[in-house]
Amino acid sequence: MAKRVLVSGGAGYIGSHVTVELINAGYDVVVADNMSNCDMTCFEGVKKITGREDIPFCQIDCCDYASVDRLFSDYKIDAVIHFAAFKAVGESVAEPIMYYRNNLVSFLNILEAAKTHGGCNVLFSSSATVYGEAENLPVTEQTPRLPATSPYGNTKQMCEDILRDVVFATKDYDGAAQGPVKGIALRYFNPIGAHPSALIGELPRGVPNNLVPFITQTAIGKRECLSIFGNDYPTEDGTCLRDYIDIVDLAKAHVVAVSRMMDGKMKEGYEIFNIGTGRPVSVAELVNAFEKVNNLKLNYKFAPRRPGDVVAIWADTRLANEELGWKAERSVEETLAAAWAWEKRLAGK
Ligand code: UDP
């Protein structure tokens, strides 16, 4: 019988791409989402791409323990991939209580249910934000985390630590009622792009904070002009450097990571992997690549630096390459073409 993976927040941007890749790899999936930050567009897209009309979908809020517990009673869950969280940095600064309550309580509930229902493999979606403005680049998993600069970033650090502690506390458990919880945290760099089918992609609400949705919305005419935040940074062209990882490549990393857990291949009960390309790309380079690959001109201007941005960050991906046997495959051009195809499809073009 196929192993079953619960994808919390599975109707969102990353969750929907991960659901597709899990199904492609032969796993059964249960999607849970409270729909607080998405509609059914991506879940419908997932069904079309996979040709599976029967993917179980549970509209629950993971902050409600009874709902999470019921889910674990209704399905035998072999692994959980936890995406259900708020993700806007600026909003988290304005609404810290809401962010801490949502992001921490939902994860605690998942862990409690995992433990109570005989143990489980838990994959947590973390972020390169935990490294802050790192001194040495590229960052490895051993690079010290720096104090978070937003409640959002802090919830990523706290959830990593919570997972580590829960794994540690349950590791000697061998009873029938409470089995081991194992955990992997994937630290994503900058996920961008869309599925090549253009049936699923990023659906930002309101004005996008992230670069690529802002670029595609400007190109389609929804936004007048892209502001490139800062061109006086100490980099070659003066703009910030990031590690942009294709969303399908990122989704595939989740499949190999949950397989590693479910197949008993972990070296430690709690492991961390950087998920990026290992290649730094500047904001100006990304904008130029978008124009070139899609054969269009983008309206953009240079604007002051955005508070809180780090100058440069990119991943040392050796651990993920060697231990997970995973490597980013798609070029930034392919990814930007997919992002544009998705935006055009949204606009009905
Ligand atoms: N950026 C930009 N204009 C925008 C949005 C982002 O110049 O409208 C820059 C931002 O300053 C950073 C990079 O694009 O250098 C990536 O930002 P994003 O918000 O996508 O991700 P972050 O790295 O902040 O998580």
Side-chain angles (χ1 to χ4, degrees):
M1 222 173 72
K3 294 222 160 82
R4 184 177 288 114
V5 182
L6 166 63
V7 184
S8 75
Y13 174 46
I14 305 181
S16 58
H17 288 82
V18 168
T19 301
V20 167
E21 297 307 322
L22 286 168
I23 291 171
N24 286 346
Y27 291 113
D28 283 340
V29 176
V30 184
V31 170
D33 207 299
N34 69 354
M35 308 307 287
S36 68
N37 195 30
C38 60
D39 57 26
M40 290 305 267
T41 307
C42 285
F43 189 65
E44 291 303 325
V46 168
K47 292 201 276 189
K48 275 209 191 99
I49 294 167
T50 58
R52 290 273 299 268
E53 279 299 321
D54 58 343
I55 306 164
F57 179 85
C58 307
Q59 184 163 353
I60 61 159
D61 189 335
C62 292
C63 287
D64 176 38
Y65 183 72
S67 302
V68 178
D69 186 58
R70 202 171 319 118
L71 201 59
F72 274 78
S73 300
D74 290 348
Y75 297 93
K76 189 190 167 300
I77 309 277
D78 297 290
V80 185
I81 305 183
H82 182 66
F83 295 110
F86 294 153
K87 60 175 185 179
V89 177
E91 187 184 43
S92 80
V93 175
E95 299 284 353
I97 298 173
M98 183 173 101
Y99 267 68
Y100 284 117
R101 178 175 292 131
N102 186 65
N103 292 7
L104 300 181
V105 172
S106 62
F107 193 46
L108 288 168
N109 285 346
I110 291 282
L111 289 168
E112 173 131 41
K115 182 170 170 253
T116 308
H117 289 265
C120 196
N121 301 293
V122 179
L123 194 159
F124 175 65
S125 62
S126 190
S127 165
T129 190
V130 302
Y131 296 116
E133 182 86 71
E135 255 177 54
N136 297 310
L137 292 165
V139 290
T140 73
E141 290 77 0
Q142 269 72 51
T143 298
R145 297 183 319 186
L146 293 180
T149 54
S150 71
Y152 161 78
N154 209 15
T155 65
K156 291 295 176 197
Q157 298 207 2
M158 291 166 93
C159 285
E160 283 192 352
D161 293 346
I162 291 169
L163 180 56
R164 179 204 59 205
D165 292 348
V166 172
V167 166
F168 184 78
T170 57
K171 84 175 184 309
D172 294 321
Y173 244 101
D174 211 7
Q178 294 189 336
V181 175
K182 282 176 277 163
I184 289 183
L186 297 184
R187 290 178 177 160
Y188 317 145
F189 284 68
N190 288 58
I192 62 165
H195 194 266
S197 65
L199 288 167
I200 55 176
E202 200 166 0
L203 270 176
R205 290 215 163 149
V207 182
N209 288 311
N210 295 115
L211 179 60
V212 169
F214 208 106
I215 290 176
T216 56
Q217 289 196 3
T218 306
I220 206 87
K222 257 174 131 173
R223 311 276 155 216
E224 210 171 299
C225 182
L226 167 76
S227 291
I228 295 184
F229 298 135
N231 63 343
D232 57 351
Y233 283 104
T235 61
E236 214 163 290
D237 63 23
T239 65
C240 292
L241 298 174
R242 294 287 183 278
D243 183 335
Y244 295 95
I245 172 78
D246 180 87
I247 188 71
V248 177
D249 281 337
L250 176 78
K252 288 179 178 167
H254 291 74
V255 176
V256 291
V258 279
S259 304
R260 177 182 175 89
M261 290 198 275
M262 292 191 290
D263 298 345
K265 301 256 171 69
M266 295 175 76
K267 293 203 171 139
E268 317 258 355
Y270 172 63
E271 296 177 330
I272 301 170
F273 296 99
N274 284 343
I275 304 296
T277 65
R279 284 189 308 269
V281 173
S282 78
V283 176
E285 281 173 331
L286 197 85
V287 168
N288 291 337
F290 180 84
E291 290 186 321
K292 199 162 168 217
V293 72
N294 296 315
N295 197 23
L296 48 80
K297 277 275 157 239
L298 195 71
N299 192 21
Y300 69 86
K301 63 173 188 223
F302 292 109
R305 293 181 179 192
R306 182 171 70 175
D309 275 342
V310 300
V311 181
I313 181 131
W314 68 95
D316 183 321
T317 61
R318 276 175 300 175
L319 194 66
N321 298 159
E322 286 159 22
E323 278 298 321
L324 296 179
W326 169 90
K327 201 166 169 293
E329 283 168 358
R330 296 178 86 192
S331 68
V332 86
E333 286 79 14
E334 279 175 278
T335 306
L336 292 171
W340 180 227
W342 164 246
E343 188 68 59
K344 282 194 292 188
R345 184 175 160 269
L346 282 179
K349 290 189 181 168

